[in-house]
């Protein structure tokens, strides 16, 4: 079967996700991602599979999304069940987008409950939804809390109206502390996302956003550097000379400022761009990605990974809905990772987290001799990019300087 050939729902074991791949991932932690592609406005920097419209014709709209997601959940369950794989209860569930809270909170709860009825939920599972600060009210948050959600991640991005305008963010900055407080009162963990390096953003403006975020006392803060992807609206504006990007030194200064201010406020880094108040408030779902375990993606354009096989759904909501209605898998294509590719991804992802990797894990399946690896480690230590390690089972961990140059460290520790 061609990788791009759709998988028939009546015979799920014969499709893109074959029984060998499923068995390879048997018994590992299992996370679920639900991609809701609806947005009120598509931000200029966004290259995710999102759409600033509510209706695509042929009865496909944001009010039909829940039923479509539930149908795909049934398909996922049939694939896993027919494979005979050992499926562990859901370790984490994450609703992303897009803006998941563009659809009713009751629909988000309905999707969650159906997933739990099929797969179960571990006793300490994390259940998160992203939300725009203007897309939820206190009642919505209460519905989510009562429906089984444990966490909300709010897209704050900046506290500076001028910077928000550059990013095409439409929310009111004053709403951020309000929605965070509502979520806290409902007993939910809270996270706020920040973006630094917007065209024209100053270090003082970035500091204003950091200090505002800290003052809301969320459990978790993400600080992502702006990456302008080719084909986005912002990329086009930069090409036309309408906007300028800060240089690498300015971006580094912004990261160092974030590390200092967040550290002083009691937030510890546990992944290069993520900070939490303690271990219990780290994002379980994000850690699932960085540990490269099993996750199944539901929704238009959602990506999945299981047992070394990666696949992704058709992107457009209309095409996705048509396949669901016809009982055809929405999967568009897949790839099976070679051992070398899996090792590369493992190093690339796990070096980003606070615990790093052991020297034995870095060595992989005899891909590099111990002498070669130790020479590279010693050189990186001298450059101040990783913490000193001695015995073979010690962990290689990025220093603050190493976090700024993480990609270079990764390349150095991989076989040539």
């Amino acid at each position: 079967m061609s990788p791009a050939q759709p998988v028939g729902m009546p015979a799920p074991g014969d499709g893109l996700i074959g029984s060998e791949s499923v068995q390879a991932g048997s018994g590992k932690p299992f996370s679920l991602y639900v991609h809701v592609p609806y947005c009120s406005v598509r931000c200029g920097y966004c290259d995710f599979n999102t759409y600033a419209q509510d209706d695509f014709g042929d009865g496909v709209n944001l009010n039909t999304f829940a039923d479509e997601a539930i149908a795909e959940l049934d398909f996922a369950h049939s694939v896993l069940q027919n494979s005979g794989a050992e499926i562990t209860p859901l370790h984490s569930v994450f609703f992303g987008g897009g803006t998941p809270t563009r659809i009713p909170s009751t629909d988000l709860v309905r999707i969650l409950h159906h997933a739990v009825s099929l797969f179960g939920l571990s006793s300490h599972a994390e259940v998160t939804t992203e939300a725009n600060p203007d897309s939820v009210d206190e009642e919505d948050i209460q519905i989510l809390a009562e429906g089984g959600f444990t966490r909300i991640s709010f897209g704050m991005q900046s506290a500076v109206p001028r910077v928000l305008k550059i990013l095409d963010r439409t929310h009111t900055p004053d709403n951020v502390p309000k929605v965070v407080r509502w979520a806290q009162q409902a007993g939910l963990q809270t996270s706020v996302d920040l973006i630094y390096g917007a065209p024209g953003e100053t270090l003082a403006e970035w500091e204003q956003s950091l200090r505002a975020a800290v003052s809301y006392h969320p459990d978790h803060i993400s600080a992502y550097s702006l990456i302008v992807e080719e084909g986005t609206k912002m990329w086009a504006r930069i090409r036309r000379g309408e906007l300028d990007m800060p240089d690498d030194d300015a971006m580094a200064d912004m990261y160092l400022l974030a590390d200092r201010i967040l550290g002083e406020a009691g937030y510890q880094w546990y992944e290069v761009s993520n900070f939490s108040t303690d271990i219990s408030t780290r994002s379980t779902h994000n850690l699932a990605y960085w540990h490269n375990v099993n996750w199944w993606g539901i929704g238009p354009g959602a990506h999945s990974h299981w047992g070394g096989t990666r696949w992704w759904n058709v992107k457009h909501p209309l095409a996705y809905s048509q396949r669901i209605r016809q009982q055809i898998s929405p999967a568009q294509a897949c790839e099976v990772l070679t051992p070398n590719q899996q090792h590369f991804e493992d190093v690339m992802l796990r070096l980003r987290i606070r615990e790093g990797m052991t020297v034995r894990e870095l060595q992989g399946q005899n891909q590099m001799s111990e002498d070669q690896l130790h020479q590279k480690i010693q050189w990186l230590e001298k450059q101040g990019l990783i913490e000193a390690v001695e015995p073979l089972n010690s962990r290689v961990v990025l220093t603050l300087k190493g976090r700024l140059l993480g990609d270079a460290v990764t390349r150095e520790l991989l076989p040539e």
Side-chain angles (χ1 to χ4, degrees):
M1 172 176 281
S2 162
Q5 184 176 348
V7 188
M9 280 191 175
D14 297 329
L16 292 177
I17 310 97
S19 59
E20 291 183 3
S21 299
V22 175
Q23 286 291 347
S26 184
K28 294 182 179 179
F30 175 23
S31 292
L32 180 71
Y33 173 72
V34 181
H35 185 75
V36 184
Y38 294 96
C39 280
S40 56
V41 174
R42 184 174 170 83
C43 299
Y45 60 88
C46 180
D47 72 331
F48 296 154
N49 187 44
T50 62
Y51 303 85
Q53 64 186 89
D54 295 347
D55 197 305
F56 294 90
D58 195 27
V60 178
N61 53 64
L62 57 82
N63 292 319
T64 64
F65 177 84
D67 288 335
E68 294 163 357
I70 285 171
E72 191 183 356
L73 283 168
D74 287 335
F75 167 61
H77 182 257
S78 69
V79 170
L80 296 172
Q81 190 174 52
N82 290 350
S83 73
E86 177 192 353
I87 308 303
T88 58
L90 292 170
H91 182 64
S92 66
V93 182
F94 194 100
F95 288 74
T99 306
T101 44
R102 286 282 290 129
I103 70 173
S105 295
T106 50
D107 277 357
L108 295 176
V109 169
R110 188 155 61 93
I111 296 168
L112 172 62
H113 286 183
H114 193 76
V116 173
S117 73
L118 295 173
F119 303 111
L121 193 68
S122 67
S123 58
H124 299 291
E126 172 191 275
V127 181
T128 303
T129 185
E130 294 179 330
N132 185 298
D134 288 356
S135 67
V136 288
D137 58 25
E138 191 169 9
E139 182 182 1
D140 290 323
I141 291 174
Q142 194 62 43
I143 290 171
L144 293 171
E146 293 174 356
F149 283 77
T150 65
R151 186 173 180 273
I152 300 185
S153 178
F154 295 106
M156 175 180 169
Q157 317 313 355
S158 174
V160 181
R162 188 187 72 83
V163 175
L164 289 173
K165 185 175 181 180
I166 292 170
L167 294 172
D168 292 324
R169 300 291 295 182
T170 59
H171 69 265
T172 304
D174 290 345
N175 277 351
V176 179
K178 184 166 58 178
V179 295
V180 170
R181 185 175 66 254
W182 287 341
Q184 291 167 338
Q185 290 171 347
L188 298 173
Q189 284 194 10
T190 55
S191 177
V192 296
D193 287 353
L194 297 173
I195 292 179
Y196 63 90
E201 182 180 27
T202 66
L203 197 62
E205 287 173 328
W206 174 232
E207 181 172 355
Q208 181 181 340
S209 295
L210 286 166
R211 295 200 181 281
V214 166
S215 73
Y216 309 150
H217 305 292
D219 302 291
H220 183 282
I221 295 176
S222 298
Y224 298 110
S225 63
L226 178 65
I227 299 175
V228 182
E229 300 288 356
E230 184 174 347
T232 61
K233 177 183 172 183
M234 183 174 284
W235 175 80
R237 293 187 67 190
I238 290 172
R239 285 198 65 188
R240 292 195 298 265
E242 298 173 12
L243 298 172
D244 294 320
M245 287 294 291
D247 61 23
D248 290 342
D249 289 340
M251 297 285 268
D253 288 342
M254 288 181 172
Y255 182 83
L256 293 172
L257 181 65
D259 184 76
R260 178 173 66 80
I261 290 176
L262 295 178
E264 290 172 352
Y267 293 87
Q268 290 189 338
W269 83 278
Y270 70 95
E271 190 273 343
V272 170
S273 300
N274 289 269
F275 303 77
S276 66
T277 53
D278 57 45
I279 292 177
S280 68
T281 56
R282 295 178 179 183
S283 170
T284 301
H285 190 82
N286 284 344
L287 284 168
Y289 292 147
W290 295 318
H291 283 282
N292 215 21
V293 297
N294 297 328
W295 70 87
W296 197 298
I298 299 293
H303 284 234
S304 303
H305 173 269
W306 198 285
T309 297
R310 186 163 47 211
W311 68 95
W312 49 95
N313 286 349
V314 292
K315 287 186 173 183
H316 198 275
L318 184 58
Y320 170 82
S321 179
Q322 288 170 341
R323 291 195 178 197
I324 293 293
R325 292 178 184 180
Q326 296 168 22
Q327 294 192 324
I328 298 173
S329 167
Q332 179 179 11
C334 76
E335 59 181 341
V336 179
L337 303 179
T338 66
N340 284 347
Q341 288 173 322
Q342 291 187 55
H343 179 67
F344 171 83
E345 290 198 357
D346 201 32
V347 173
M348 179 182 67
L349 293 168
R350 288 185 55 200
L351 276 181
R352 292 181 61 88
I353 61 178
R354 189 180 187 94
E355 289 73 22
M357 298 182 73
T358 68
V359 178
R360 288 193 185 280
E361 289 170 331
L362 280 167
Q363 186 180 3
Q365 299 176 351
N366 300 317
Q367 298 185 55
M368 191 188 308
S369 72
E370 291 183 14
D371 286 343
Q372 284 179 310
L373 183 57
H374 277 285
Q375 287 176 9
K376 292 189 174 190
I377 287 173
Q378 289 171 3
W379 184 84
L380 290 169
E381 288 178 47
K382 290 179 181 178
Q383 303 304 311
L385 297 172
I386 61 173
E387 294 182 5
V389 293
E390 293 296 337
L392 190 62
N393 285 318
S394 292
R395 291 187 173 275
V396 174
V397 177
L398 296 177
T399 62
L400 178 56
K401 179 181 177 182
R403 281 184 265 158
L404 292 171
L405 299 168
D407 289 344
V409 175
T410 297
R411 287 194 297 271
E412 189 66 28
L413 290 172
L414 286 168
E416 298 176 357

